[in-house]
């Protein structure tokens, strides 16, 4: 079943976007729509991802009614924007069983270079996308990376993505909550598509329609077409605060719901064929090398985690509890990543590279709300790393024991920007600092009051920066010795044409996990 089309107004806007992207990226405009098929078949744009030194993934998805069960789609990859020098070409099959999505994986490519790509089907040509391969294993090449997360549709517009596309980074790293499963709420900046009975997403058709809605945004399409992406998920791609096979409402059919959500996630994003879900399980965790400079490790924080402890009666998922009232928080057997993935991560750190970047979905820094006059009243949010403190300590102690170079944790989820230093044992003042953390705020999802963040900054001196009242993204530039980070903040998240400002800049040396304000 193909996703529902946007409205006729959106169709015209998307066709216009397709004509403009070729110019923006230096490529060719799509060919005119033929009389044989006037329905826009590439209304959701193109994307690429999973860049390695000799291969990557190219993605698109055919849209519109009356598509047969299988459609042949031609693809081209060129070394120039005019497609005069083709590096690879071929034909893929878009199948109705997988939402007519196309996941192409050209191999044998030249390391460390830019490419342009496009698709053709049913007499139409897609917008042009730009992508690149990672540098060769022996090359110490710089990296320009953008991190982003949490793009709830009805909370605001995607002006941040327009700026990211113009920034033209080497790589975009999305850290979770690509869609929100939430029901439509009247009076918001823009509305989620309404589902039967006003419910949140539950079925494959629901998740497909929600992904199609998000992908219809021109700014998001432009960011996908400007650079390759790596992605991890958090909870809202399925259901708020789910853990493993436990849904927030303890629903008996949650396994089927999760399987539907995982399938739609794979269908609508530039993920490899090897990640296609099988029997409700999807292999998302992986690591990617950027030459000799950096290893990027993408971890899955939802599929294998143990359920949150001390939930509200009759519910599962997160709660905020008094630390003293929930002894299960200290159970070392519990894991946010799952014990098997913890072991995989411990074996994935690169001791030969200057930087190790861990992409994982939520704030790792300790952020327990302390009462300085009554320590027994310290409050813990059970869905975050504070709810899995022994697992966090295992992870960071491994970083310390193995002396992992240039360890940087990249986080999302909490709708706030945090810049921090991480100790192996956050409760011990004598514990060594072993990593830094850059937690990116949301693209559009609302954050909490800045006063709460200010209180956390006062409690935790190793938190060097925190803003929960601003939406935006982070730009990271790495070379062999220095990581430079820039916090970008939108002027008006409710305006699709919003400008942005540079809110703060930081630097970290690869040889020591100390954040410097610059």
């Amino acid at each position: 079943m193909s996703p529902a089309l946007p409205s006729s107004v959106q169709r015209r806007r998307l066709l216009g976007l397709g004509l403009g992207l070729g110019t923006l990226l230096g490529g060719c405009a799509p060919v005119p729509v033929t009389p044989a098929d006037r329905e826009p078949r590439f209304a959701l744009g193109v994307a690429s991802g999973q860049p390695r030194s000799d291969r990557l993934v190219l993605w698109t998805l055919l849209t519109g009614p009356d598509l047969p069960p299988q459609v042949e789609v031609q693809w081209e990859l060129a070394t120039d924007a005019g497609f005069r020098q083709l590096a690879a070409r071929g034909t893929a099959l878009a199948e109705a069983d997988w939402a007519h999505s196309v996941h192409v994986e050209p191999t044998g490519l030249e390391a460390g270079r830019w490419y342009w790509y496009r698709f053709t089907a049913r007499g139409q040509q897609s917008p042009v996308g730009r992508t690149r391969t990672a540098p060769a294993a022996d090359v110490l090449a710089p990296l320009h990376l953008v991190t982003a997360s949490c793009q709830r549709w009805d909370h605001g517009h995607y002006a941040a993505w327009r700026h990211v596309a113009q920034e033209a980074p080497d790589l975009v790293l999305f850290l979770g909550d690509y869609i929100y499963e939430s029901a439509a709420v009247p009076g918001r900046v823009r509305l989620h598509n309404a589902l039967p009975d006003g419910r949140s997403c539950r079925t494959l058709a629901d998740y497909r329609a929600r992904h199609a809605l998000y992908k219809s945004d021109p700014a998001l399409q432009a960011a996908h077409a400007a650079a390759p992406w790596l992605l991890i998920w958090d909870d809202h791609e399925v259901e708020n605060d789910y853990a493993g096979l436990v849904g927030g409402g303890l629903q008996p059919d949650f396994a089927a719901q999760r399987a539907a959500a995982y399938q739609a996630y794979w269908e609508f994003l530039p993920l490899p064929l090897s990640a296609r879900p099988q029997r409700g399980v999807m292999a998302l965790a992986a690591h990617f090398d950027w030459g000799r400079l950096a290893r990027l490790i993408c971890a899955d924080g939802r599929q294998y985690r143990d359920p949150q402890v001390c939930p509200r009666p009759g519910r599962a998922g997160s709660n905020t509890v008094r630390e003293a009232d929930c002894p299960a928080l200290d159970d070392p057997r519990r894991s946010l990543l799952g014990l098997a993935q913890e072991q995989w991560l411990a074996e994935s750190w690169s001791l030969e590279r200057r930087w190790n970047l861990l992409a994982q979905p939520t704030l790792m820094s300790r952020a327990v709300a302390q009462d300085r006059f009554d320590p027994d009243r310290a409050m813990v949010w059970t869905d975050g790393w504070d709810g899995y403190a022994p697992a966090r300590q295992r992870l960071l102690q491994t970083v310390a024991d193995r002396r992992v170079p240039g360890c940087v944790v990249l986080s999302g989820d909490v709708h706030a920007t945090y810049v921090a230093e991480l100790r192996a044992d956050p409760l011990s003042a004598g514990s060594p600092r072993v990593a830094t953390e850059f937690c990116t705020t949301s693209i559009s999802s609302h954050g909490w009051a800045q006063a709460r963040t200010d209180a956390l900054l006062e409690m935790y001196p190793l938190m060097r920066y925190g803003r929960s009242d601003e939406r935006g993204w982070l730009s990271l530039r790495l070379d062999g010795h220095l990581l430079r980070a820039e916090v970008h903040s939108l002027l008006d998240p409710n305006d699709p044409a919003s400008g942005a400002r540079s809110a703060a800049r930081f630097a970290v040396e690869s040889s020591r996990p100390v954040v410097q304000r610059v």
Side-chain angles (χ1 to χ4, degrees):
M1 175 179 175
S2 296
L5 276 172
S7 68
S8 58
V9 174
Q10 288 173 312
R11 292 183 204 171
R12 290 192 295 271
R13 183 179 62 175
L14 289 167
L15 285 172
L17 173 70
L19 291 168
L21 271 176
T23 303
L24 172 66
L25 300 174
C28 300
V31 298
V33 177
T34 64
D37 193 344
R38 294 184 178 276
E39 201 65 47
R41 297 304 183 184
F42 296 100
L44 302 184
V46 299
S48 68
Q50 308 274 304
R52 300 189 185 274
S53 61
D54 64 344
R55 70 195 67 190
L56 41 74
V57 175
L58 307 178
W59 173 94
T60 194
L61 184 146
L62 301 184
T63 56
D66 303 322
L67 287 171
Q70 295 182 333
V71 180
E72 286 192 349
V73 181
Q74 287 74 44
W75 59 271
E76 297 173 298
L77 183 72
T79 58
D80 68 303
F83 289 86
R84 290 178 293 273
Q85 299 179 8
L86 291 183
R89 68 191 306 174
T91 299
L93 208 58
E95 299 179 281
D97 287 347
W98 299 98
H100 287 105
S101 62
V102 178
H103 303 250
V104 173
E105 300 178 54
T107 59
L109 304 180
E110 184 179 341
R113 75 160 302 145
W114 287 98
Y115 289 92
W116 286 259
Y117 62 98
R118 64 189 178 189
F119 301 87
T120 304
R122 296 177 70 85
Q124 297 183 34
Q125 198 170 84
S126 74
V128 171
R130 190 182 74 141
T131 190
R132 65 162 298 160
T133 51
D138 60 346
V139 173
L140 187 66
L143 170 62
H144 175 193
L145 173 69
V146 162
T147 66
S149 70
C150 303
Q151 52 181 8
R152 181 160 170 163
W153 177 272
D154 58 347
H155 277 197
H157 286 281
Y158 291 169
W161 287 128
R162 178 171 51 82
H163 291 283
V164 169
Q166 293 168 353
E167 190 174 320
D170 293 317
L171 184 64
V172 174
L173 175 59
F174 194 83
L175 294 161
D177 293 343
Y178 189 92
I179 65 164
Y180 279 68
E181 85 292 2
S182 314
V185 179
R188 291 286 171 82
V189 176
R190 49 185 183 171
L191 292 179
H192 273 141
N193 41 5
L195 299 172
D197 304 320
R199 66 168 188 259
S200 58
C201 293
R202 290 290 181 269
T203 69
L204 180 57
D206 293 344
Y207 287 108
R208 284 174 169 175
R210 188 59 51 88
H211 273 279
L213 175 70
Y214 279 52
K215 269 291 200 312
S216 72
D217 187 277
L220 178 57
Q221 287 191 28
H224 270 296
W229 283 42
L230 294 176
L231 302 103
I232 59 172
W233 53 33
D234 192 26
D235 52 347
H236 287 288
E237 287 88 352
V238 180
E239 181 179 272
N240 184 40
D241 287 352
Y242 86 94
L245 285 170
V246 179
L250 299 173
Q251 57 268 44
D253 60 345
F254 182 71
Q257 178 185 338
R258 194 187 81 165
Y262 283 9
Q263 177 171 337
Y265 184 85
W266 181 84
E267 290 169 345
F268 280 79
L269 291 169
L271 297 165
L273 291 170
S274 61
R276 186 160 62 184
Q278 301 291 331
R279 295 181 294 278
V281 175
M282 181 170 161
L284 187 66
H287 62 71
F288 301 83
D289 292 333
W290 197 262
R292 286 197 299 119
L293 179 74
R295 172 162 290 180
L296 294 90
I297 305 173
C298 296
D300 179 346
R302 286 291 165 183
Q303 187 169 194
Y304 311 111
R305 75 155 66 189
D306 290 306
Q308 302 87 343
V309 293
C310 303
R312 294 182 296 275
R315 297 285 300 174
S318 73
N319 195 6
T320 301
V321 300
R322 269 203 337 166
E323 196 168 24
D325 293 341
C326 189
L329 289 166
D330 297 324
D331 185 348
R333 296 169 297 179
R334 299 178 60 252
S335 176
L336 188 145
L337 299 178
L339 294 178
Q341 189 178 196
E342 280 192 26
Q343 184 61 39
W344 168 81
L345 174 58
E347 296 169 356
S348 294
W349 301 112
S350 173
L351 305 185
E352 297 78 31
R353 290 172 174 81
R354 307 290 180 89
W355 298 96
N356 283 266
L357 309 179
L358 174 59
Q360 58 85 44
T362 193
L363 181 70
M364 189 171 286
S365 302
R366 181 171 168 85
V368 172
Q370 303 279 4
D371 186 329
R372 67 184 64 187
F373 302 109
D374 184 0
D376 288 339
R377 292 189 61 81
M379 304 299 290
V380 175
W381 177 50
T382 61
D383 192 58
W385 277 102
D386 286 326
Y388 300 80
R392 174 177 58 194
Q393 188 167 346
R394 284 195 299 271
L395 189 162
L396 293 173
Q397 190 61 53
T398 298
V399 172
D401 292 344
R402 298 199 63 195
R403 299 188 178 184
V404 175
C407 185
V408 180
V409 177
L410 303 175
S411 318
D413 180 36
V414 293
H415 308 173
T417 301
Y418 289 101
V419 179
E421 297 161 7
L422 301 176
R423 297 186 188 276
D425 180 358
L427 295 179
S428 172
S431 180
R433 302 173 200 186
V434 298
T436 53
E437 180 173 20
F438 289 88
C439 180
T440 183
T441 191
S442 55
I443 290 288
S444 58
S445 306
H446 296 166
W448 66 21
Q450 181 61 29
R452 294 179 65 181
T453 300
D454 291 340
L456 283 176
L457 296 177
E458 187 177 350
M459 292 175 198
Y460 297 103
L462 291 185
M463 277 190 175
R464 304 303 190 188
Y465 180 87
R467 298 297 305 191
S468 54
D469 59 342
E470 297 181 346
R471 317 276 69 82
W473 72 100
L474 287 176
S475 295
L476 308 177
R477 297 176 186 268
L478 295 84
D479 60 28
H481 303 288
L482 197 67
L483 179 155
R484 291 170 292 146
E486 186 170 7
V487 180
H488 297 278
S489 176
L490 292 174
L491 302 181
D492 182 1
N494 293 338
D495 180 3
S498 174
R501 67 183 181 90
S502 176
R505 294 185 177 91
F506 302 91
V508 176
E509 297 174 7
S510 60
S511 58
R512 62 189 192 119
V514 176
V515 174
Q516 306 169 55
R517 185 82 178 252
V518 295

